[in-house]
Amino acid sequence: QVQLVESGGGLVQAGGSLRLSCAASGRAISSYAMGWFRQAPGQEREFVAAISWNAGRTYYADSVKGRFTISGDNAKSTVYLQMNSLRPEDTAIYYCAARNRSGRYYQQNDYNYWGQGTQVTVSS
């Protein structure tokens, strides 16, 4: 079974940076798009960023625009999230997702592969 695995989470101070990585274990996924979602305590899981290989576009939530950068390698089913100028409100479990079908970049249900999540904690 193909699985996505995230890494790079941790504890940082406000204003610091982290770089999250996500890669497929086993065989690569011929994905249309990959993305990052996050879930803070007591909150619903929300869209953070996505990269659409087919459309050649990247997308960001307004809350992270200008601070986070998504990049990746479609051939390796790998995606990264460079997180700069981190804020306490960025604290959440970050999930990597991929889809090998058409869909909407922001819609969680359109993704059909998911990672286990990695914790990001930003202290004030």
Side-chain angles (χ1 to χ4, degrees):
Q1 186 76 16
V2 176
Q3 181 182 358
L4 298 176
V5 180
E6 304 98 334
S7 62
L11 173 64
V12 297
Q13 291 183 281
S17 298
L18 284 174
R19 183 176 175 84
L20 305 183
S21 299
C22 172
S25 62
R27 59 194 173 111
I29 303 168
S30 183
S31 63
Y32 285 27
M34 297 184 72
W36 291 94
F37 297 80
R38 68 185 182 186
Q39 186 169 26
Q43 304 292 323
E44 296 183 349
R45 185 153 57 187
E46 65 178 2
F47 166 75
V48 176
I51 182 166
S52 173
W53 313 116
N54 190 37
R57 297 176 179 177
T58 57
Y59 307 89
Y60 298 94
D62 288 342
S63 60
V64 306
K65 195 172 298 182
R67 300 188 297 121
F68 292 8
T69 302
I70 188 170
S71 61
D73 184 341
N74 186 30
K76 297 180 179 180
S77 297
T78 300
V79 69
Y80 307 97
L81 186 67
Q82 179 65 47
M83 309 164 66
N84 298 327
S85 301
L86 284 163
R87 305 165 180 170
E89 52 262 44
D90 293 319
T91 295
I93 300 175
Y94 284 71
Y95 296 90
C96 175
R99 54 179 168 87
N100 60 358
R101 60 193 183 189
S102 297
R104 293 155 292 183
Y105 69 89
Y106 56 85
Q107 178 56 251
Q108 298 180 54
N109 290 339
D110 287 349
Y111 291 79
N112 52 334
Y113 296 93
W114 289 86
Q116 82 287 352
T118 185
Q119 177 70 48
V120 171
T121 303
V122 184
S123 62
S124 60

